[in-house]
Amino acid sequence: MTLLRAERVTLGYGGRPVVHDVSLGVTEGGVGLIGESGSGKTTLARAFLGLLTPMSGNIYYGDQTLKKANLRAFRRDVQPVFQAEALDPRMRVGRSIAEALPRAARARVGELLEQVGLDPALAARRPHELSGGQRQRVVIARALAVGPRLLILDEPTSALDVTVQARILDLLASLETERLLITHNLAVVERLCRTSHVLFAGRVVESGPTARLLANPAHPYTRALRDAVPKLGGAPPEARGRTEAVPAATGCPFRLRCPLAVAACEQAPAPRDLGGAGGTGGMEGRRVACHRAEDVLSA
Amino acid sequence: MTDVTPLGRRLPRLPDGFAALGAVLIVAVVLAAVLAPWLAPYPPDEPRPLERLLPPSGAHWFGTDQVGRDVLTRILYGGRTSLLIAGAVLGVSAVAGVALGVVAGYAGGRVRDVIMRVTDVFLAFPALLLSLALAVVLQPGVNTVILAIAVTWWPWYARLAASVAASVATRPYVDAARCLGVPAPLIILRHVLPNSLTPVLVQLSLDVGGVILTSAALSYLGLGAQEPVAEWGLMVQQGQTLFSTNWWVVTFPGLAILVTAFAFNVLGEGLRNALDPRRAVR
């Protein structure tokens, strides 16, 4: 059974929805949520963490909704890893980690620091006395303190330089917990997640196995994201379509930026399985919400 | 200067020169007030009609007032009253205001609405008018002044603390604590309150002069400290008509207020630097 899943979840702030009717589960091998700033990734992550109540739909922890679930067990099983800045600036890092532990187990702070590759002596320091990479490791150590089964990683490497990123990714990949990764960095998601969902304007526009989804996107937005990744020695990425356009209020939300938009895109496309109901020809497990998916795939 | 230990751990640097000056002045003012009975050359409340309005001299360094009392003596004793009023008003206001403010800021929603509407009610009355009303109902005196000013002062701290706490409550470390199942009162005590205090401490230091002046206004209207009690604000108010002819009567107590307010202001600025852990290493 999936540990955590969203079913037809709509989320928002002050009565205004920003994530619309999203259904997805955290499956084995890591799940990535990909999208640009404002696409609703973090909002969805907050709902999965029980920090935001859905306007409609439900988040399920096992077979129970979060409202009815045993919160104590949920907090033990599901932990966030936010960015490196997620440490209280006034608290010594040892105390930050100890906050997650019962009083009798506070001696484990040093052990947890060692587990994430840090010197236990760093427990006496405050966050500003550590480097960005060290802070990120402390954030991970704190999340690991309660022995979670699932980590929800919200842009865990985006504030770090590339060499530090690589070491943090190694650490995350070595952990035995399941993971839901929120990022706009395709290389990170490719490394850590077997399955990915692409969000645009609060809607899942494409889902599927990460490697195949990135190698051969079926949605023009996924393709635009992939093509926007700079390559060493290559030409600078070229932005296609109107990248400044806001999401369309009706129909396909991406149509104002889509270079392939046609009249049919004024009707919102329903998510559909690619390659028929069974999914064949390398399209197993892939879903897309686009009228022109076949044209994107063959382009 | 930043001190670095062998482990590379940096210690907060000392307050800058101005803050140190402020601290020295405050210590001097407090010591002068505490030691007034031993330092003062004359009794504080003994009229000497033959020595009325004497200018500064070797016998009376700061001159004498309209009933012949030594101004220096009354400034030393007046410091006790003024500092007591300022300390008590700001202590009560800050404790009550910050406690309600951080709860409002963290909880948000209806809790915040209720607490903020209560502060609005207090803020809707002109502060002096509300203080006057209270002072009239109660007996005039120092305790009345403290209560009357604190009642009108705490809502500002509640608002300040609420706005800072609301911002702190959205920080990821607060979310992380929630995800660990830390109870709300502990999150407030461990994370929200300590990270909301810096602007409150700075505001406290800036408010010392204001409270002294407000208490002076109440004293002037006959509702605060009463003659013969020495109090700086009362001395300024009583001496203001003499400024053009006998400047020392009003100038020296005015300077006492100015120096004290200045000292607390620069100390506040130094505190802000010292309490901000990110500034401490720069």
Side-chain angles (χ1 to χ4, degrees):
Chain A
M1 182 187 294
T2 317
L3 180 62
L4 202 58
R5 68 183 199 279
E7 276 195 14
R8 306 210 62 180
V9 162
T10 295
L11 303 161
Y13 302 97
R16 289 183 59 188
V18 296
V19 169
H20 308 265
D21 201 20
V22 166
S23 298
L24 60 90
V26 181
T27 49
E28 207 174 315
V31 173
L33 287 180
I34 309 168
E36 63 194 23
S37 301
S39 59
K41 309 185 295 290
T42 295
T43 300
L44 199 49
R46 287 175 59 78
F48 274 129
L49 286 164
L51 296 172
L52 189 64
T53 306
M55 295 166 73
S56 66
N58 277 308
I59 304 285
Y60 285 87
Y61 166 57
D63 56 358
Q64 288 201 307
T65 63
L66 267 191
K67 269 185 202 165
K68 293 181 182 166
N70 176 348
L71 265 186
R72 210 182 171 84
F74 173 73
R75 296 291 180 215
R76 197 180 54 235
D77 278 349
V78 182
Q79 279 297 306
V81 173
F82 296 119
Q83 288 188 18
E85 305 312 316
L87 292 169
D88 188 331
R90 296 189 180 281
M91 211 177 245
R92 295 190 193 281
V93 298
R95 214 177 143 219
S96 278
I97 297 171
E99 192 171 34
L101 296 166
R103 200 170 286 276
R106 298 212 163 149
R108 279 191 59 219
V109 169
E111 185 189 313
L112 284 159
L113 285 170
E114 278 183 335
Q115 189 184 344
V116 297
L118 291 176
D119 181 349
L122 296 183
R125 300 216 192 159
R126 289 204 166 84
H128 67 267
E129 295 169 317
L130 303 181
S131 69
Q134 287 174 322
R135 282 200 292 271
Q136 192 64 65
R137 285 172 192 268
V138 173
V139 170
I140 295 169
R142 181 177 56 189
L144 293 177
V146 293
R149 292 163 63 195
L150 167 67
L151 290 180
I152 296 185
L153 307 146
D154 190 356
E155 304 277 12
T157 58
S158 55
L160 307 173
D161 66 54
V162 284
T163 52
V164 180
Q165 268 189 23
R167 289 201 289 272
I168 296 294
L169 288 179
D170 287 343
L171 171 64
L172 291 172
S174 70
L175 300 175
E176 288 170 4
T177 54
E178 284 302 326
R179 49 190 171 259
L180 174 68
L181 171 68
I182 287 96
T183 186
H184 59 267
N185 188 329
L186 300 188
V188 172
V189 87
E190 191 170 30
R191 170 88 193 273
L192 293 179
C193 304
R194 199 179 294 164
T195 309
S196 287
H197 303 271
V198 181
L199 262 81
F200 180 77
R203 291 172 174 83
V204 176
V205 294
E206 185 171 3
S207 307
T210 307
R212 275 181 270 165
L213 181 144
L214 294 180
N216 196 14
H219 195 283
Y221 176 62
T222 314
R223 192 174 67 181
L225 276 180
R226 188 198 62 179
D227 293 348
V229 177
K231 292 172 188 66
L232 267 182
E238 188 184 337
R240 276 182 276 180
R242 293 171 54 205
T243 53
E244 80 291 354
V246 294
T250 57
C252 171
F254 189 62
R255 66 192 167 89
L256 299 180
R257 283 167 58 172
C258 182
L260 301 176
V262 292
C265 300
E266 288 173 24
Q267 302 297 319
R272 58 192 167 104
D273 290 319
L274 286 170
T280 54
M283 293 296 155
E284 296 89 347
R286 294 193 61 179
R287 279 173 74 78
V288 67
C290 179
H291 294 298
R292 303 203 57 191
E294 284 71 17
D295 298 319
V296 179
L297 284 166
S298 62
Chain B
M1 285 290 289
T2 301
D3 299 323
V4 182
T5 65
L7 273 177
R9 190 174 146 207
R10 297 182 180 94
L11 302 172
R13 61 182 169 185
L14 289 169
D16 59 22
F18 264 117
L21 173 67
V24 168
L25 284 173
I26 289 168
V27 169
V29 169
V30 170
L31 277 179
V34 170
L35 301 176
W38 294 276
L39 296 176
Y42 298 95
D45 49 7
E46 186 186 326
R48 297 178 182 214
L50 297 178
E51 297 181 13
R52 290 177 65 241
L53 298 172
L54 293 178
S57 65
H60 299 282
W61 290 2
F62 290 180
T64 61
D65 66 7
Q66 50 276 57
V67 290
R69 295 172 300 197
D70 182 59
V71 172
L72 172 60
T73 298
R74 288 184 63 77
I75 286 176
L76 291 173
Y77 277 91
R80 298 180 141 204
T81 318
S82 294
L83 291 177
L84 171 74
I85 290 172
V89 166
L90 294 176
V92 170
S93 301
V95 169
V98 170
L100 286 167
V102 292
V103 169
Y106 176 78
R110 286 190 183 167
V111 174
R112 180 186 166 89
D113 288 346
V114 168
I115 293 174
M116 288 300 101
R117 292 304 76 78
V118 172
T119 64
D120 285 346
V121 169
F122 280 88
L123 293 173
F125 288 100
L128 196 60
L129 199 64
L130 188 57
S131 302
L132 277 174
L134 275 167
V136 167
V137 172
L138 305 167
Q139 290 292 317
V142 170
N143 290 343
T144 301
V145 168
I146 291 169
L147 183 66
I149 303 177
V151 162
T152 59
W153 220 275
W154 74 267
W156 296 105
Y157 285 96
R159 292 206 134 196
L160 177 63
S163 67
V164 181
S167 160
V168 172
T170 64
R171 304 279 160 84
Y173 53 83
V174 174
D175 277 345
R178 284 184 187 135
C179 289
L180 288 170
V182 180
L186 278 184
I187 292 179
I188 291 175
L189 282 176
R190 285 180 191 165
H191 299 288
V192 181
L193 180 63
N195 284 292
S196 303
L197 278 184
T198 302
V200 173
L201 288 174
V202 174
Q203 191 59 44
L204 273 174
S205 64
L206 298 173
D207 280 350
V208 172
V211 171
I212 290 174
L213 289 173
T214 305
S215 72
L218 287 178
S219 301
Y220 177 70
L221 293 167
L223 302 166
Q226 301 293 304
E227 279 284 357
V229 171
E231 198 255 340
W232 293 343
L234 185 62
M235 291 168 75
V236 170
Q237 295 290 359
Q238 289 181 335
Q240 63 181 330
T241 54
L242 302 169
F243 184 64
S244 55
T245 52
N246 307 94
W247 57 269
W248 58 89
V249 178
V250 64
T251 301
F252 289 114
L255 278 175
I257 294 173
L258 182 75
V259 167
T260 308
F262 167 79
F264 276 102
N265 281 0
V266 293
L267 182 72
E269 183 65 23
L271 271 180
R272 193 177 63 179
N273 290 341
L275 292 175
D276 183 343
R278 281 154 298 201
R279 284 180 170 224
V281 294
R282 282 177 200 158

